[in-house]
Amino acid sequence: MQVFFDDIAPGQRLPDASIGPISPAHIVRWSAAMENWHRIHYDERFARDHDGLDGLLVNGSWKQHILIRYLADWAGEQGWLGRLSMQFRAMSAVWETLVCHGEIISCARIGEWGSVLIRFGMTNADGTETAPGTAMAVLPLRDGPALPYPPDAVMQDLPDMEAPA
């Protein structure tokens, strides 16, 4: 369902999205695709005995991918994710269920479109924030024109973002 700039306001929360539980198969496939062969993602004995971890870890790049997908899905087919900044602050383990969340911080109309500053993140099963960030999205107006493709002209007019909290 398409989100329109006319229908949002600062303080509005994006719907949470639960991901998981994340199996070792998810992480092995991602590691193979990214050619990230660090053994903490697929060799549990190594993760425990060598690195002193409780078990296998989820790849940071996988978490980044999931958060970008979460925001792009929220913006819908007619919206654009313009800029994104995030940090990795805590590890996530295999078999956890992670929750993506977001909140609209500010909105501004730019010509025939609207820009939206979003604070977002991902929490572990225990509620620990693992990957906070900010993103700038561009949304269409309900009765306005479609955003151009490619959106370069729109993106260059976006305001600056604030740093993750």
Side-chain angles (χ1 to χ4, degrees):
M1 195 164 140
Q2 182 59 52
V3 174
F4 292 96
F5 182 74
D6 318 66
D7 301 329
I8 60 166
Q12 183 178 336
R13 290 189 48 80
L14 279 60
D16 288 352
S18 294
I19 311 297
I22 299 145
S23 74
H26 285 105
I27 301 310
V28 167
R29 283 194 305 265
W30 184 261
S31 292
M34 298 299 295
E35 295 187 9
N36 175 352
W37 300 116
H38 196 302
R39 291 169 66 181
I40 61 172
H41 300 304
Y42 65 88
D43 183 341
E44 189 158 357
R45 178 188 247 168
F46 178 86
R48 289 180 188 280
D49 296 347
H50 185 270
D51 281 13
L53 300 169
D54 292 335
L56 298 176
L57 295 182
V58 172
N59 309 62
S61 61
W62 184 83
K63 293 188 336 182
Q64 183 179 32
H65 159 75
I66 293 299
L67 283 164
I68 291 169
R69 182 79 261 148
Y70 165 70
L71 294 167
D73 286 349
W74 175 80
E77 289 185 17
Q78 297 177 43
W80 289 99
L81 187 56
R83 296 185 185 138
L84 183 130
S85 174
M86 65 181 293
Q87 300 173 354
F88 295 120
R89 292 193 182 166
M91 292 182 254
S92 300
V94 167
W95 297 120
E96 282 189 302
T97 295
L98 306 175
V99 178
C100 301
H101 59 87
E103 180 181 358
I104 297 170
I105 302 304
S106 63
C107 306
R109 187 163 171 171
I110 301 175
E112 298 179 286
W113 304 282
S115 70
V116 183
L117 180 63
I118 302 163
R119 181 172 290 124
F120 67 89
M122 179 182 280
T123 56
N124 281 348
D126 66 2
T128 300
E129 182 63 61
T130 71
T134 54
M136 186 69 69
V138 180
L139 298 176
L141 300 176
R142 182 169 295 286
D143 295 322
L147 290 165
Y149 181 81
D152 299 342
V154 175
M155 298 303 167
Q156 69 186 9
D157 293 334
L158 291 179
D160 290 333
M161 292 189 332
E162 61 187 49

